[in-house]
Amino acid sequence: MLTDIEGRAAVKLARKTIELFLSEGRLPKPLELDFELSPVFGEKRGVFVTLTENGLLRGCIGHPFPDSTLQDAIMDSAISAATRDPRFPPVGEDEIDNIVVEITILTPPEKINAPPEELPERVEIGKHGLIVKQGYCQGLLLPQVAPEHNMDSIEFLGHTCLKAGLSPDAWLKGAEVSCFEGQIFKEKEPQGEVIEESYSGE
């Protein structure tokens, strides 16, 4: 788990990366950061960067698996969310002041070993994100998606299957389902105070 200070640094790193990439086409250098990156940023972690504008999704891309350091994963995901999300045009330099930056730090995904009919009771809404995989198809939804859209666990499983390009009942028909948890830090408003968000009712 990251501390509040580390969470704030994660969001600031994402914002700084987007700003510099859009204005100068480069990544920030360590000396340009006016905040400390603790040793956790050198650990391998999965992470997603979500951008919203006026409450609407503007980009969301990340590293589902801990395949690179947290620092590198944040910078890469931030640029991807801003410029490479195929659902949206790239973020313009004039937009960045209106965008809220959100970071979700992921725990390593773990396969849910249960018969298909028991999967819904193993999924905790607000706590778990899901990955559904079958063949070459794979889809991921973050933990905050289900509570934000008032989904129950069956709907959440179905929507994750759809994200993978599968039928919504693929989880009942042998698709592999994994879950993970996420720690969410986001700006209260563009460039504003960074808070930790919890959807699990704790």
Side-chain angles (χ1 to χ4, degrees):
M1 298 289 280
L2 271 65
T3 65
D4 286 346
I5 291 173
E6 290 166 341
R8 283 197 293 274
V11 173
K12 285 181 178 180
L13 177 62
R15 175 172 282 282
K16 183 80 170 177
T17 299
I18 294 168
E19 289 173 348
L20 265 178
F21 189 80
L22 292 182
S23 63
E24 300 179 28
R26 65 180 180 86
L27 297 176
K29 299 183 177 75
L31 292 175
E32 292 177 308
L33 303 178
D34 58 355
F35 48 89
E36 290 284 322
L37 294 180
S38 70
V40 75
F41 286 87
E43 297 175 9
K44 290 191 173 182
R45 299 286 183 97
V47 69
F48 268 73
V49 174
T50 304
L51 307 178
T52 53
E53 188 171 13
N54 300 320
L56 299 174
L57 183 65
R58 189 62 182 82
C60 180
I61 291 185
H63 289 230
F65 300 95
D67 54 17
S68 52
T69 65
L70 180 56
Q71 179 177 351
D72 288 345
I74 287 173
M75 292 196 294
D76 181 63
S77 300
I79 291 169
S80 292
T83 65
R84 302 179 192 137
D85 189 326
R87 297 169 292 180
F88 304 98
V91 170
E93 199 179 337
D94 57 340
E95 275 184 278
I96 190 66
D97 290 345
N98 300 318
I99 281 178
V100 167
V101 178
E102 177 180 316
I103 300 267
T104 307
I105 316 288
L106 312 185
T107 61
E110 294 181 11
K111 183 182 174 186
I112 304 176
N113 289 309
E117 61 272 12
E118 289 181 17
L119 286 171
E121 61 197 59
R122 299 288 190 94
V123 176
E124 288 187 51
I125 295 297
K127 179 180 182 182
H128 290 148
L130 294 178
I131 297 174
V132 170
K133 190 175 180 183
Q134 192 165 42
Y136 292 107
C137 298
Q138 178 172 296
L140 177 149
L141 288 178
L142 295 173
Q144 54 268 49
V145 170
E148 284 177 352
H149 294 88
N150 296 314
M151 295 179 193
D152 61 25
S153 56
I154 291 176
E155 291 169 328
F156 194 30
L157 284 159
H159 277 84
T160 312
C161 292
L162 290 171
K163 185 81 182 285
L166 302 168
S167 66
D169 60 352
W171 60 274
L172 276 169
K173 298 177 176 176
E176 181 180 302
V177 179
S178 300
C179 69
F180 59 89
E181 295 177 32
Q183 191 180 11
I184 305 158
F185 294 94
K186 67 181 292 187
E187 296 172 337
K188 288 175 77 170
E189 70 239 344
Q191 299 175 306
E193 179 190 352
V194 175
I195 57 168
E196 182 173 359
E197 190 126 54
S198 174
Y199 291 89
S200 56
E202 292 172 7

